[in-house]
Amino acid sequence: MRQDRTVSSEPVEPQDISTASEAVEAVPDQAARDRYSVLVDLIQKYRVAYYNEDAPLASDAEFDLLYSELEKLEALHPELVTNDSPTQVVGGDVSVAFAAVDHVARMYSLEDVFSLEELEAWLVRAAASVEKRGGQPPQWLTELKIDGLAVNLLYRDGVLVRAATRGDGTTGEDITHNVATIKDIPQKLSGTNFPSEVEIRGEVFIASKDFAELNEKMVAAGKAPFANPRNSAAGSLRQKDPAETAKRPLSMFVHGIGAREGLSTASQSETYALLKEWGMPISPYFKVVSTLAEVMDFIAYYGEHRHDLIHEIDGIVVKVDDLATQRELGHTSRVPRWSVAYKYPPEEVHTKLLDIQVQVGRTGRVTPFGIMEPVKVAGSTVERATLHNQDVVKAKGVMIGDVVVLRKAGDVIPEIVGPVMALRELQDPPVREFVMPTHCPSCGTELAPAKDGDIDIRCPNTKSCPIQLTERVAHLSGRGGFDIEALGYEAAVALTSGPGPDPAENGGSIAPAGPGPLTSEAQVFSIAELDLSGVVVWREIRSKGEGTGRFQQVPYFYTKATSKKPSVPTKTTEKLYEELEKAKKAPLWRVLVALSIRHVGPTASRALATRYGTMAAIQEALLAPDAREQLANVDGVGGIIAEALIEWFAVDWHQEIVAAWAAAGVLMADAVDESVPRTLEGLTIVVTGTLPTLSRDEAKEAIITRGGKAAGSVSKNTSYVVAGEAAGTKLDKAEALGIPVLDEEAFIALLATGPTPAE
């Protein structure tokens, strides 16, 4: 959770945020005072919106940048600092909607750092302070920084008598009746060895899985989804009616004790063990370490696995484990000197939604997507994000011109979560509603659902729609298909469409116009026979490494002719010809994926290839009177995929693609190596993580060719889990279910001989 929040009377302009830290040291005294006033107002306003209204006006990243600027400004001009500065107080004010209650012991904020260098400097300073006082080098308790709402629980004689928000650190809001609905929180402590009065602190949150399900229900009911789990949890705890709170999937992990008179534990970790004995919910994600390197390893591990966890996190908290040392180090007016929070790069930011456009996919599905002011999130600059379909746009309540919440978790596709409603009325020009087009933007065909009741609308001109062909060609060459490296998306555009309009006159967008030299994917393996010498593409003219917004047409597959040299195929084009020849030997499952059959991905394709072995056998099965039942009974296929296969192969021009590829020399059958023993017959094996020498596809191929099933998820029916580096939750589940876990060496032995009799 954000430990410090703040605000202003005006929304933050992008330049105010991006240039903040650079401007601080150069400002003269009056400019410093003016900027200081603006920052204090902004931070206080944002703090109220975040803590009291559960409707943040700025993202964590924006707030942190403003707060950091204020700290730097105060360090340069300490005469500006007042007692009510956001840097001198904790949290937010207490809402008048709830009764105010005082904490027995004060609740503090945490000092935030935003780089590993800052964290290292903090840890070195803290360790030096401990040793200067005659102490031993500290042990560090490292734990996850839950993105939730801080709550203080007061127990008297083991009975919960009050629950309160942190508020300003001294006084919070009484939310006892709402907290009583959270199943994780015991109304009475277990055992008898607890003080007569004790404050237990922790974070209330909504688990990631529960949050996704909650938002699905909201969208299905035609309501706007919640922006994020933290705001949803906070809003749930501030419901006037506890019965409404009870409907929300709230959880809690406790992480400390406030008032602790009579408590004899010597360390933070020992306190956690005691809290667990009392029946309190303790996070499974903490570790006591001795060195800086171990702290950094902990941070790196959870940075990679943050999306495998029960709940959302935004960083790591590091605490001195020894309680006596904590007391010696003490607190500033706002933060403890014995604890710090390292913040991961933000995964959720605010940006302006400039427009909503649509894109047409390889199966004709028309998907709205947002075009935004470029913003950095999760380590990359994002300016486009999916909006899924017209119903989702409506359910999210976003309008063109809104300031929106943008989320990008690791490698996940960026998602527009929803609008910042408090800023909507301030937008100039005013926001406007998105209207879904009625005709395909590529070929002009009228759009419609594929079937009655479908939410998605599609372009039915699948054969001739230029953009659909472009997308199918790009797909068939991808890693799941033929894996043709030299046939990327730009090459697919060049092959399937003419140069189209000047992107400078089209908002910078390079739109396939069609047709190009390739008019059907049936021709893919005959590309070398096509005349590609005149194919050109638009390229942005760059100056000193920067884009100019101006474009020019350049040859794509051939070199530019000069007075001395004629135009010839480029090295990349020659490589494309070579890779196409290699692709002809691809296994059957890759051929099936490359055909762009709706719902048929790598898993179903592997299952079909294993069951039938040849394209001819699959086509023969499709002609059987019980074709749907026969295909649906293939493990890993099912009724929906069976129906999609039957529909696809019933189309004449689809059959022509298969025939053309076969005529060009594409293998339509998997060679059966009789020498490979069926050592895994009847076994279900899950591969997770990164193995030292085998790729994920190679491992799955090895399982299937030996008669086993390569599953994607762990269940009680799983025979083995093969775990490599960064195995994640599948490994955790396997261990919880008692399923044998193999490393690569043991897996290779299993492939050779199968399970031993003891197994």
Side-chain angles (χ1 to χ4, degrees):
M1 171 184 167
R2 274 289 311 138
Q3 300 294 341
D4 268 296
R5 290 310 227 149
T6 37
V7 292
S8 116
S9 56
E10 297 295 331
V12 183
E13 295 295 330
Q15 60 267 32
D16 289 338
I17 295 171
S18 62
T19 61
S21 58
E22 291 88 341
V24 172
E25 294 189 17
V27 290
D29 287 347
Q30 188 55 48
R33 292 178 187 279
D34 291 343
R35 182 61 180 168
Y36 181 81
S37 178
V38 168
L39 287 171
V40 168
D41 286 345
L42 276 172
I43 291 170
Q44 288 172 344
K45 178 181 175 182
Y46 292 160
R47 177 176 281 170
V48 169
Y50 185 91
Y51 279 114
N52 300 101
E53 299 170 5
D54 305 316
L57 299 177
S59 68
D60 279 2
E62 292 164 335
F63 179 87
D64 288 338
L65 194 54
L66 289 170
Y67 194 87
S68 177
E69 182 188 355
L70 181 64
E71 288 183 314
K72 291 175 182 177
L73 192 54
E74 290 184 343
L76 285 171
H77 302 282
E79 68 276 10
L80 296 177
V81 183
T82 59
N83 289 336
D84 61 352
S85 165
T87 66
Q88 306 302 305
V89 297
V90 175
D93 297 325
V94 178
S95 170
V96 295
F98 292 87
V101 292
D102 292 336
H103 305 307
V104 178
R106 184 178 178 185
M107 295 182 73
Y108 287 86
S109 248
L110 285 177
E111 181 179 347
D112 290 336
V113 296
F114 302 94
S115 71
L116 296 177
E117 291 75 20
E118 286 181 281
L119 176 63
E120 181 176 357
W122 188 96
L123 292 170
V124 169
R125 285 197 308 270
S129 181
V130 171
E131 293 177 26
K132 185 178 179 181
R133 298 165 191 267
Q136 296 296 314
Q139 296 275 300
W140 305 108
L141 184 142
T142 50
E143 60 189 0
L144 304 189
K145 189 171 184 291
I146 303 171
D147 198 9
L149 181 72
V151 171
N152 189 35
L153 307 174
L154 177 62
Y155 286 85
R156 289 197 180 112
D157 297 322
V159 177
L160 179 65
V161 296
R162 191 174 71 207
T165 64
R166 181 176 56 189
D168 63 6
T170 300
T171 303
E173 302 157 327
D174 190 335
I175 53 171
T176 306
H177 295 300
N178 290 352
V179 164
T181 67
I182 303 175
K183 295 178 181 178
D184 288 351
I185 301 174
Q187 299 300 300
K188 186 175 182 180
L189 299 179
S190 302
T192 56
N193 59 334
F194 39 77
S196 58
E197 183 175 86
V198 62
E199 285 183 315
I200 301 174
R201 280 131 186 212
E203 296 280 328
V204 170
F205 62 90
I206 294 181
S208 300
K209 179 175 177 292
D210 293 335
F211 180 71
E213 292 174 357
L214 179 62
N215 266 354
E216 285 175 7
K217 292 177 182 177
M218 297 291 286
V219 171
K223 299 178 181 178
F226 293 106
N228 55 53
R230 189 269 164 199
N231 291 333
S232 177
S236 300
L237 279 178
R238 289 194 170 100
Q239 294 291 317
K240 293 292 187 182
D241 183 359
E244 290 300 312
T245 301
K247 295 177 183 178
R248 304 285 173 82
L250 296 173
S251 301
M252 184 178 188
F253 283 149
V254 299
H255 54 57
I257 291 181
R260 56 187 306 129
E261 187 175 348
L263 204 62
S264 59
T265 52
S267 67
Q268 189 85 13
S269 52
E270 188 180 326
T271 302
Y272 285 3
L274 182 60
L275 287 169
K276 187 174 183 180
E277 288 180 14
W278 292 349
M280 300 303 298
I282 302 297
S283 171
Y285 310 117
F286 76 89
K287 185 177 183 181
V288 178
V289 300
S290 302
T291 67
L292 174 63
E294 289 176 298
V295 172
M296 296 303 180
D297 287 345
F298 188 91
I299 288 171
Y301 178 84
Y302 283 106
E304 293 176 4
H305 294 272
R306 62 188 297 184
H307 305 297
D308 302 331
L309 307 174
I310 295 170
H311 51 69
E312 294 283 330
I313 64 170
D314 61 356
I316 298 294
V317 176
V318 183
K319 303 174 180 177
V320 172
D321 191 40
D322 182 71
L323 296 180
T325 304
Q326 288 185 11
R327 288 190 290 271
E328 284 185 21
L329 291 174
H331 302 75
T332 68
S333 62
R334 190 177 59 87
V335 300
R337 292 191 177 94
W338 44 265
S339 184
V340 67
Y342 165 76
K343 300 291 291 293
Y344 288 118
E347 295 195 320
E348 190 172 284
V349 297
H350 289 186
T351 188
K352 190 164 186 176
L353 180 62
L354 302 175
D355 198 6
I356 298 177
Q357 298 181 4
V358 298
Q359 59 188 16
V360 183
R362 61 190 171 90
T363 62
R365 180 186 176 195
V366 180
T367 306
F369 66 93
I371 298 176
M372 299 154 299
E373 288 183 346
V375 62
K376 193 160 187 177
V377 55
S380 60
T381 299
V382 174
E383 51 189 321
R384 296 191 177 201
T386 182
L387 281 162
H388 303 291
N389 59 54
Q390 66 274 21
D391 285 4
V392 171
V393 176
K394 187 179 294 184
K396 287 178 182 287
V398 293
M399 293 192 177
I400 297 167
D402 268 329
V403 173
V404 296
V405 178
L406 176 72
R407 180 181 299 149
K408 182 177 184 290
D411 295 328
V412 177
I413 296 171
E415 175 192 10
I416 294 172
V417 179
V420 182
M421 294 299 296
L423 298 179
R424 175 169 284 176
E425 298 303 320
L426 302 175
Q427 299 310 307
D428 185 22
V431 300
R432 69 184 194 276
E433 190 173 352
F434 164 71
V435 179
M436 194 74 175
T438 57
H439 291 75
C440 176
S442 179
C443 67
T445 304
E446 186 174 0
L447 304 175
K451 296 178 181 177
D452 289 342
D454 280 1
I455 295 174
D456 295 327
I457 60 173
R458 297 175 183 272
C459 171
N461 183 25
T462 52
K463 180 178 181 181
S464 304
C465 179
I467 189 61
Q468 289 188 60
L469 175 59
T470 300
E471 295 290 336
R472 290 197 301 270
V473 171
H475 169 75
L476 70 84
S477 65
R479 290 185 179 180
F482 288 114
D483 196 12
I484 304 169
E485 186 180 342
L487 185 52
Y489 192 81
E490 188 180 34
V493 172
L495 283 166
T496 58
S497 67
D502 186 339
E505 301 172 2
N506 192 40
S509 176
I510 298 176
L518 189 77
T519 58
S520 166
E521 57 264 55
Q523 300 170 283
V524 162
F525 289 96
S526 303
I527 286 177
E529 300 171 15
L530 301 176
D531 180 9
L532 304 181
S533 60
V535 175
V536 295
V537 295
W538 287 104
R539 290 270 173 82
E540 187 174 11
I541 300 170
R542 305 184 73 80
S543 175
K544 296 180 180 179
E546 299 292 329
T548 63
R550 293 179 291 114
F551 293 79
Q552 64 180 351
Q553 291 183 6
V554 297
Y556 188 83
F557 293 103
Y558 274 61
T559 61
K560 191 173 182 178
T562 67
S563 57
K564 295 182 179 180
K565 293 183 180 180
S567 178
V568 296
T570 66
K571 289 183 179 180
T572 301
T573 302
E574 297 286 1
K575 183 179 180 182
L576 171 61
Y577 298 156
E578 294 171 6
E579 289 186 353
L580 284 167
E581 286 302 311
K582 292 178 184 176
K584 292 177 181 179
K585 300 176 182 178
L588 179 60
W589 73 267
R590 288 189 178 275
V591 179
L592 290 167
V593 171
L595 290 172
S596 282
I597 305 170
R598 193 178 173 192
H599 304 304
V600 180
T603 300
S605 296
R606 288 177 187 276
L608 289 164
T610 301
R611 168 63 180 81
Y612 293 103
T614 69
M615 185 66 75
I618 293 173
Q619 291 173 303
E620 185 179 345
L622 290 165
L623 298 175
D626 62 343
R628 189 185 186 284
E629 291 73 18
Q630 185 184 141
L631 290 164
N633 285 330
V634 175
D635 193 13
V637 178
I640 292 175
I641 294 174
E643 194 66 43
L645 282 162
I646 293 169
E647 290 178 0
W648 193 90
F649 276 94
V651 177
D652 289 345
W653 68 271
H654 290 166
Q655 293 272 16
E656 291 169 5
I657 296 169
V658 177
W661 287 2
V666 176
L667 294 179
M668 294 289 177
D670 284 341
V672 178
D673 187 350
E674 299 295 344
S675 67
V676 177
R678 306 283 287 181
T679 51
L680 306 184
E681 202 78 58
L683 299 181
T684 299
I685 300 173
V686 174
V687 180
T688 181
T690 303
L691 299 175
T693 63
L694 293 172
S695 70
R696 190 80 62 89
D697 283 341
E698 288 171 337
K700 289 182 177 179
E701 203 75 50
I703 293 166
I704 292 168
T705 56
R706 287 161 178 78
K709 176 185 176 183
S713 59
V714 177
S715 72
K716 63 181 181 180
N717 296 320
T718 303
S719 308
Y720 296 93
V721 168
V722 180
E725 189 178 348
T729 54
K730 291 178 183 178
L731 174 59
D732 295 338
K733 189 170 183 180
E735 291 173 342
L737 293 173
I739 295 167
V741 177
L742 310 177
D743 59 13
E744 187 183 274
E745 185 179 353
F747 173 55
I748 291 172
L750 180 71
L751 294 174
T753 62
T756 62
E759 294 176 297

